[in-house]
């Protein structure tokens, strides 16, 4: 088996909670708590989970936009966490990110050309003004915008167009991996489909790998080859997309999938309703994080944290009972 | 742009007219008149005083007097100072350079202090530096300038004897000595005014930078592989400055007002102390002219703020 493009091992990120008069650390938020996954070149891994489960933090830790507390991130054979500041900035050519909110992710005072082209200049990818303009025009056309949009400002575009600018910006440096941090959650459903299709086209054209973070299961099913499900900072199940949706193994995944609405009013689905709220990541439950809400939990679930183990080909699940 | 400017200036005219009318009526209704002190002077018979009042039209109805004032002012005649016995416009022109020098330098000092401190504090919120900067800023704008001014005079002039506490327009020295004296006497007023402004600007810069620094496009900039220094200057500070610039421009008239107190403490012969002495002497033409100059400054800086805003923020266009 060849080496994957990105391998993340036992990644953790704990944010300190400070309190008291001297602002001493009184606890920590375990946003990411021992996450393992890998992405091959040109494939898409979907990362799903509810709000606050640590998906975005995981994505940003991979780029070291948030500094992880511990763990290993290997990209293309390089130990990402050991890189110096300059080496890390150079690596940003290969890993890019697209954000959720297309309104906040573009600097309002820069023209589209300046936004997209800034990285070209930083990484020395455009030597002359002519090269620069040609590349910007090319990128805008790739994402379905017009070349003469380059001298406009972000506020002159709609949400979907702005997200396309964000994608063009990420593409500019020809990255091998793009972390898509909920790239369509802020868009209308009709625009969502366009952007998803664009991302798929780009993947085929340029063989880019995606870490696709989302909370919308149907979007993830559509775009991902494999899907990882996160709950409270841990991955509870990871499987090929089709296998996961057809036969979820983890009780949390089952509950999540049962909540996806079916676009047919006559069909009624048996929904699994989870009792209670997600526990606070400042004080996660012992053992399996899910045991407080799990319909099938046993005594050992509260004592022993389950490891991810392979139950079928490529289908990994972290549960004592499945 | 030119069209917009013209429209704004046309709108400014009626408001200036209204302001001048209100000012004039208020002054006319206020008790006391420039010849009040003549009443207690036994050498001047009451008839002379009465004749003076008639000569200057003090007994005409208010609106007629306002109309006279307006027509005269539009002809460039700002009136005659009863107390200083020279034309008001000359008096103001004499005083304004000193005020501009002190206030301008103080504003510069305020920005030089507030920008780096505010930006650095916002880059590391709740760090030791931020805590200290915030506390000092809080103390800074809680202390009024008449208190800090007197405190500085007590320390540096009375106890240490390093700096003069009276600002003199007529320094007797010459050459380099003159410049040194000129700068030395301005140190304390500039420090008092500048640091007071710096305190509030610092807090404003800090919160503006904090608003911007957590936005995705800043993270995007980092993700592009840009160095942190450039991220802060190009992506954070430039955007954070938009509200700050507006604040500074809109605060300028207030600063002129606040400088009145400082000018009084340090005896700076500026436009503020001119206003105070004119009020004390019931010198209505001077009061009227100075307050009207302040009103023009407010209108002017409002316009300036709008123009700068449009220049800084591409979302605003004046076409």
């Amino acid at each position: 088996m060849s080496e994957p493009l990105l391998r993340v091992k036992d990644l953790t990120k704990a944010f300190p909670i400070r309190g008291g008069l001297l602002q001493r650390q009184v606890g920590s938020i375990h946003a990411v708590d021992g996450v393992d996954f890998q992405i091959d070149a040109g494939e898409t891994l979907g990362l799903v989970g509810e709000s606050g489960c640590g998906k975005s933090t995981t994505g940003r830790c991979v780029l070291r936009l948030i500094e992880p507390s511990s763990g290993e991130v290997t990209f293309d054979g390089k130990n990402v966490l050991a890189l110096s500041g300059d080496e890390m900035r150079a690596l940003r050519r290969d890993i890019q990110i697209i954000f959720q909110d297309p309104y906040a992710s573009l600097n309002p005072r820069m023209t589209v050309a300046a936004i997209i082209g800034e990285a070209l200049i930083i990484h020395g990818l455009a030597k002359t003004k002519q090269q620069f303009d040609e590349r910007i025009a090319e990128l805008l056309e790739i994402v379905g915008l017009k070349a003469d949009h380059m001298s406009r400002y972000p506020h002159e575009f709609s949400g979907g167009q702005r997200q396309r600018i964000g994608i063009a910006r990420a593409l500019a440096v020809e990255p091998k991996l793009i972390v898509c941090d909920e790239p369509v959650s802020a868009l209308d459903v009709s625009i969502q489909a366009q952007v998803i299709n664009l991302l798929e086209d780009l993947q085929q054209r340029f063989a880019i790998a995606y870490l696709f973070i989302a909370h919308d299961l149907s979007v993830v099913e559509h775009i991902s080859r494999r899907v990882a499900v996160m709950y409270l900072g841990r991955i509870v199940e990871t499987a090929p997309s089709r296998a996961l949706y057809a036969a979820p193994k983890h009780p949390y995944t089952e509950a999540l999938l049962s909540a996806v609405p079916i676009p047919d009013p006559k069909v009624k689905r048996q929904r699994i309703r989870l009792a209670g709220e997600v526990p606070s990541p400042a004080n996660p439950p012992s053992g399996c994080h899910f045991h407080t809400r799990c319909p099938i939990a046993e005594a050992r679930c509260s004592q022993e944290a389950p490891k991810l183990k392979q139950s079928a080909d490529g289908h990994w699940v972290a549960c004592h009972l499945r | 742009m030119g069209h917009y400017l013209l429209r704004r200036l046309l709108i400014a005219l009626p408001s200036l007219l209204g302001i001048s009318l209100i000012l004039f009526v208020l002054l006319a209704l206020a008790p006391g008149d420039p010849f009040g002190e003549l009443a207690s002077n036994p050498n001047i018979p009451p008839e002379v005083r009465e004749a003076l009042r008639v000569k200057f039209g003090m007994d005409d109805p208010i609106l007629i007097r306002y109309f006279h004032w307006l027509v005269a002012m539009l002809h460039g005649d700002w009136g005659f100072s009863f107390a200083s016995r020279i034309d008001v416009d000359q008096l103001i022109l004499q005083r304004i350079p000193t005020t501009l020098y002190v206030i301008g330098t103080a504003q510069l000092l305020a920005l030089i202090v507030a920008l780096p401190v505010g930006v650095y504090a916002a880059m590391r919120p709740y760090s030791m530096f931020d805590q200290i900067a915030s506390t000092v800023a809080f103390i800074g704008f809680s202390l009024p300038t008449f208190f800090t001014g007197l405190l500085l005079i007590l320390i540096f002039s009375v106890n240490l004897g390093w700096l003069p506490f009276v600002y003199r327009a007529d320094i007797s020295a010459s050459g380099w000595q003159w410049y040194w004296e000129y700068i030395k006497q301005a140190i304390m007023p500039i420090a008092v005014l500048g640091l007071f402004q710096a305190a509030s600007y610092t807090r404003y810069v800090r919160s503006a930078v904090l608003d911007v620094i957590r936005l995705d496009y800043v993270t995007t900039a980092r993700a592009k592989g840009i160095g942190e220094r450039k991220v802060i200057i190009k992506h954070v500070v430039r955007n954070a400055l938009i509200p700050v610039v507006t604040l500074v421009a809109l605060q300028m008239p207030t600063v002129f007002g606040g400088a009145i107190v400082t000018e009084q403490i340090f005896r700076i012969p500026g436009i503020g102390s001119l206003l105070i002495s004119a009020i004390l002497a019931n010198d209505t033409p001077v009061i009227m002219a100075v307050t009207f100059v302040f009103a023009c400054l407010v209108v002017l800086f409002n316009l300036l703020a709008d123009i700068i805003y449009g220049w800084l923020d591409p979302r605003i266009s004046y076409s």
Side-chain angles (χ1 to χ4, degrees):
Chain A
M1 193 181 131
S2 67
E3 184 66 10
L5 181 68
L6 175 77
R7 183 199 292 281
V8 173
K9 235 175 125 185
D10 204 22
L11 185 77
T12 65
K13 174 64 196 177
F15 293 102
I17 308 170
R18 294 184 191 282
L21 194 63
L22 295 171
Q23 295 293 300
R24 263 197 269 262
Q25 186 171 342
V26 292
S28 46
I29 305 258
H30 301 274
V32 180
D33 193 4
V35 160
D36 300 279
F37 62 87
Q38 57 185 57
I39 301 176
D40 290 330
E43 80 156 352
T44 301
L45 173 70
L47 190 59
V48 294
E50 55 199 300
S51 306
C53 73
K55 332 181 273 291
S56 288
T57 309
T58 305
R60 285 168 198 222
C61 279
V62 169
L63 281 97
R64 279 177 73 189
L65 290 173
I66 295 175
E67 208 60 48
S69 306
S70 68
E72 264 177 50
V73 177
T74 318
F75 180 82
D76 225 2
K78 283 183 283 251
N79 180 358
V80 174
L81 301 187
L83 296 179
S84 70
D86 283 341
E87 289 167 331
M88 189 62 223
R89 275 192 282 280
L91 186 76
R92 300 221 191 278
R93 242 202 93 172
D94 292 331
I95 317 180
Q96 276 297 318
I97 183 163
I98 301 170
F99 292 95
Q100 171 175 8
D101 183 353
Y103 290 91
S105 59
L106 306 175
N107 189 335
R109 289 192 52 205
M110 289 166 74
T111 60
V112 169
I115 289 170
I116 298 175
E118 192 175 21
L120 291 178
I121 294 168
I122 295 286
H123 297 285
L125 299 176
K127 301 277 184 290
T128 63
K129 173 83 179 119
Q130 195 198 351
Q131 258 183 14
F132 180 86
D133 286 346
E134 277 170 10
R135 178 75 176 135
I136 304 283
E138 183 192 349
L139 284 163
L140 283 172
E141 267 153 30
I142 288 173
V143 298
L145 294 171
K146 294 197 190 77
D148 55 339
H149 285 160
M150 68 166 80
S151 54
R152 295 199 193 165
Y153 286 94
H155 69 273
E156 296 170 66
F157 295 90
S158 69
Q161 287 175 315
R162 294 176 70 131
Q163 198 59 299
R164 286 170 192 266
I165 296 170
I167 293 169
R169 198 221 83 237
L171 280 182
V173 290
E174 298 167 354
K176 294 175 185 155
L177 171 70
I178 298 181
V179 175
C180 306
D181 190 359
E182 309 214 20
V184 296
S185 310
L187 305 176
D188 285 349
V189 176
S190 57
I191 312 288
Q192 282 192 5
Q194 293 174 13
V195 171
I196 296 278
N197 289 337
L198 172 65
L199 287 171
E200 285 189 316
D201 288 349
L202 295 174
Q203 183 163 52
Q204 280 173 7
R205 262 177 90 173
F206 304 108
I208 308 166
Y210 292 136
L211 173 59
F212 196 93
I213 299 166
H215 56 245
D216 184 330
L217 290 160
S218 46
V219 167
V220 171
E221 179 183 15
H222 182 75
I223 196 168
S224 310
R225 189 184 331 160
R226 285 184 307 121
V227 175
V229 181
M230 262 184 104
Y231 182 77
L232 217 60
R234 287 181 187 162
I235 289 181
V236 294
E237 182 166 5
T238 164
S241 180
R242 196 163 300 163
L244 186 97
Y245 282 85
K249 301 249 159 129
H250 197 280
Y252 178 63
T253 317
E254 278 178 352
L256 266 190
L257 287 177
S258 80
V260 177
I262 301 168
D264 182 349
K266 293 196 200 83
V267 181
K268 283 267 188 285
R269 194 200 300 254
Q270 187 69 45
R271 280 194 61 180
I272 304 169
R273 288 180 192 277
L274 294 177
E277 292 284 315
V278 184
S280 161
N283 185 21
S286 59
C288 172
H289 280 176
F290 189 56
H291 82 259
T292 51
R293 303 167 79 195
C294 182
I296 58 167
E298 288 180 353
R300 78 188 265 225
C301 297
S302 61
Q303 286 144 19
E304 201 183 323
K307 294 243 170 350
L308 271 175
K309 49 186 192 293
Q310 187 153 264
S311 70
D313 186 32
H315 198 141
W316 298 69
V317 59
C319 183
H320 293 305
L321 307 165
R322 297 288 172 91
Chain B
M1 187 71 193
H3 186 77
Y4 170 81
L5 261 181
L6 196 69
R7 211 178 64 221
R8 279 294 302 262
L9 287 173
L10 284 179
I11 294 172
L13 281 182
S15 41
L16 281 178
L17 219 58
I19 293 170
S20 67
L21 178 65
I22 293 171
L23 281 175
F24 198 91
V25 171
L26 273 177
L27 277 176
L29 293 177
D33 71 73
F35 308 114
E37 61 180 298
L38 299 184
S40 53
N41 190 337
N43 294 327
I44 296 169
E47 304 85 63
V48 175
R49 202 176 132 230
E50 210 43 52
L52 271 172
R53 286 188 65 89
V54 172
K55 187 189 165 208
F56 285 99
M58 305 282 292
D59 295 324
D60 294 344
I62 291 176
L63 279 178
I64 292 184
R65 278 155 59 196
Y66 172 70
F67 189 71
H68 283 310
W69 175 84
L70 190 66
V71 170
M73 206 207 54
L74 290 177
H75 283 91
D77 176 10
W78 287 47
F80 185 78
S81 165
F82 297 123
S84 311
R85 310 209 175 272
I86 58 169
D87 281 343
V88 172
D89 47 352
Q90 274 195 352
L91 197 59
I92 290 177
L93 282 179
Q94 274 175 13
R95 300 295 194 99
I96 253 183
T98 314
T99 298
L100 285 182
Y101 162 61
V102 172
I103 289 181
T105 321
Q107 283 296 304
L108 216 63
L109 175 73
L111 289 175
I112 289 172
V113 172
L115 279 176
V117 172
V119 170
Y120 194 78
M123 281 166 67
R124 291 166 183 74
Y126 307 109
S127 64
M128 189 64 102
F129 180 85
D130 182 31
Q131 306 268 9
I132 293 173
S134 293
T135 313
V136 171
F138 197 76
I139 295 171
F141 70 72
S142 306
L143 293 176
T145 49
F146 59 79
F147 176 78
T148 44
L150 291 179
L151 196 69
L152 287 194
I153 288 178
L154 194 65
I155 296 172
F156 292 104
S157 301
V158 178
N159 287 348
L160 296 170
W162 289 352
L163 299 168
F165 62 88
V166 173
Y167 193 103
R168 300 165 55 118
D170 52 337
I171 297 167
S172 51
S174 60
W176 290 111
Q177 190 65 29
W178 186 88
Y179 281 107
W180 173 231
E181 291 287 326
Y182 197 70
I183 291 170
K184 214 164 74 169
Q185 65 180 1
I187 289 177
M188 278 199 295
I190 287 170
V192 165
L193 259 183
L195 294 179
F196 181 70
Q197 283 294 316
S200 59
Y201 288 169
T202 302
R203 300 204 33 112
Y204 209 80
V205 169
R206 176 183 177 272
S207 76
V209 169
L210 265 184
D211 278 346
V212 173
I213 209 165
R214 53 176 185 79
L215 291 179
D216 282 343
Y217 64 76
V218 176
T219 317
T220 308
R222 291 203 184 100
K224 283 176 183 172
I226 306 170
E228 185 63 21
R229 215 182 134 80
K230 210 172 162 203
V231 170
I232 293 294
I233 292 173
K234 188 169 174 188
H235 291 264
V236 177
V237 174
R238 276 200 199 171
N239 280 292
L241 273 191
I242 297 176
V244 174
V245 166
T246 326
L247 175 91
V248 172
L250 290 182
Q251 274 230 326
M252 283 310 289
T254 337
V255 170
F256 275 92
I260 294 176
V261 178
T262 321
E263 286 188 358
Q264 200 60 18
I265 294 167
F266 292 101
R267 310 275 175 81
I268 300 169
I271 198 167
S273 55
L274 174 67
L275 180 63
I276 298 273
S277 54
I279 290 173
L280 291 177
N282 271 318
D283 198 353
T284 32
V286 178
I287 305 175
M288 189 61 211
V290 173
T291 39
F292 189 67
V293 167
F294 280 156
C296 292
L297 285 176
V298 174
V299 172
L300 181 77
F301 278 107
N302 266 297
L303 183 60
L304 209 65
D306 281 353
I307 292 170
I308 295 175
Y309 216 117
W311 177 61
L312 283 175
D313 192 338
R315 282 169 294 190
I316 297 167
S317 72
Y318 302 118
S319 49

